[in-house]
Amino acid sequence: YGRIPAAPAVRRLLREHELTLDEVPGTGKQGRVLKDDVQRYLDAGGKA
Amino acid sequence: MADKFDVIVIGAGPGGYVAAIRAAQLGLKTACVEKWIGKEEKKVVHGGTCLNVGCIPSKALLEASHKFVEAKHDFDDMGIQAGDVTMDVKKMMARKDKIVKNLTGGISGLFKANGVTAIDGTGKVTGAKQVEVTDLDGKATTYEADNIVIAAGSVPVEIPPTPMTEGLIVDSTGALEFEDVPKRLGVIGAGVIGLELGSVWSRLGSDVTVLEAMDSFLPMVDGAIAKETQKLLKKQGLDIQLGARVTGSEVKGKEVVVKYTDAKGEQELTFDRLIVCVGRKPYTKGVVADGVSVELDERGFIHVDDQCRTSVPSVFAIGDCVRGPMLAHKASEEGIMVADIIAGHKAEMNYDAIPSVIYTFPEVAWVGLTEEDAKAKGIEVKTGSFPFAASGRAMANNATEGQAKIIADAETDRVLGMHIVGQHAGEMIAQGVIALEFGSSAEDLALTCYAHPTMSEAVHEAALAVEGHAIHMANRKKRK
């Protein structure tokens, strides 16, 4: 059933930066990508 | 040539006015064109169908009529002696009109506060970046805009067997304006609108018959929930006839005779008033001038992609005049998405998590897949249900009818759908919407602390029941 299991704000942040969920390491429950994770990834210049 | 705008929105309903406010908030020079003339003063009002003749007025009447029924039939159980309770229909209507006036005026105020230019008149797209507005006096002015958003909405479908007849055969708008309670009321269409309007007048004393052409009741609703809803509405006195196809009608003085066929053959019923609510159709006629290549589909909807872009890149279309459920909140979310896109963001909206609500009593609300949808898609699911009859709060509220049901993916436990029939179902379904948006599992809901005593605990128990671990009822399933 369609969508990636990430919160709406995470999906939006990924979209705005043309990233996919696979690129960002997640620290949430069962490896879920959190908004913090995306922010940290972006702050590090797009490196995991 | 008049002013030039970044965005011109045609229509100030829930799609259009929200798009206009959002666009203005994002710094775009925005205008919103509206032609709707208010009921009392002969001037343009904002808010569209939802505020003027839809969501808001129908809810005002549903609430008033429900309180009347409670006072008449349920107060006694609680020890309240209210005596002979009566309803002043004119006063009920005046209250509704006042709410409508407040809210429509509120939108005009929000336009001013956000710097949206309100243009009164009928808008027409005459070029990829050009809108012609014909004002109330018939004078046409052309405006330039880098982006155009069509939010022209929808109108009730009329059917040939029952032509509108002033004060006798009416559409949903007319049914919100009755000045007295019709003794015998016919409703054509057992959809959301038909059930809500039928409920209002049935509660006030009308003898209501609902004629529905389809054989199944609320086919878009989860089977178990639809079945229980049908039973509850029948118990309230709504005579819902399925598989009844209306073939003709005859106005005889102050009565209307409706002819229809059902499984038993040709039938005839006489009503004092008839409401036709078989559906709504997109209002797109004349909104786009010939020669502008905005494509319509065969049903009259404006053709758009997932981002609500039409076949002309600078023209967007949202709400009831495009594909998708005809719901106010769907239109508004599309409005926000489109304004964001115009402002340069990569916006997207989630069409999988749009809730639906029927404001009968009890309310019916749902989001996501039904058990039948999942089966049709070949998804293996597990389900959990909890009846309000086992809820302490429901008992205290005198609202023990209904149930909450959760559909989860059998493999991943992800919540795929939530379905509720019960008091405040429309409020409770927000939990299901959030669960779907966050991709949460049934276990996530089961591990969440719910306030006691609340109606929402039924959702918690339904989530627990997915694994056969509901606390407050005997579980049918084998526990793991």
Side-chain angles (χ1 to χ4, degrees), chain A residues 1 3-8 11-12 15-16 18 29 32, chain B residues 340 345-346 348 350 352 369 414 416 437-439 441 444:
Chain A
Y1 187 59
R3 315 194 124 243
I4 46 176
R11 301 201 301 264
R12 163 135 120 180
R15 249 191 343 260
E16 291 284 4
E18 294 177 358
K29 184 184 164 188
R32 181 178 292 230
Chain B
D340 285 358
H345 295 286
K346 294 182 179 66
E348 190 177 271
N350 184 1
D352 294 332
L369 300 185
R414 192 163 162 188
L416 302 179
E437 280 290 0
F438 283 76
S441 60
D444 288 324

Side-chain angles (χ1 to χ4, degrees), chain A:
Chain A
Y1 187 59
R3 315 194 124 243
I4 46 176
V10 172
R11 301 201 301 264
R12 163 135 120 180
L13 201 54
L14 291 170
R15 249 191 343 260
E16 291 284 4
H17 294 278
E18 294 177 358
L19 293 169
T20 65
L21 202 58
D22 302 336
E23 295 172 68
V24 184
T27 63
K29 184 184 164 188
Q30 293 171 332
R32 181 178 292 230
V33 176
L34 308 177
K35 197 172 170 183
D36 271 7
D37 299 329
V38 185
Q39 207 54 62
R40 208 174 306 120
Y41 181 85
L42 290 169
D43 291 346
K47 283 191 277 294

Side-chain angles (χ1 to χ4, degrees), chain B residues 375-388:
Chain B
K375 207 162 278 173
K377 285 175 186 275
I379 305 169
E380 207 183 316
V381 296
K382 35 187 192 171
T383 67
S385 304
F386 189 81
F388 286 104

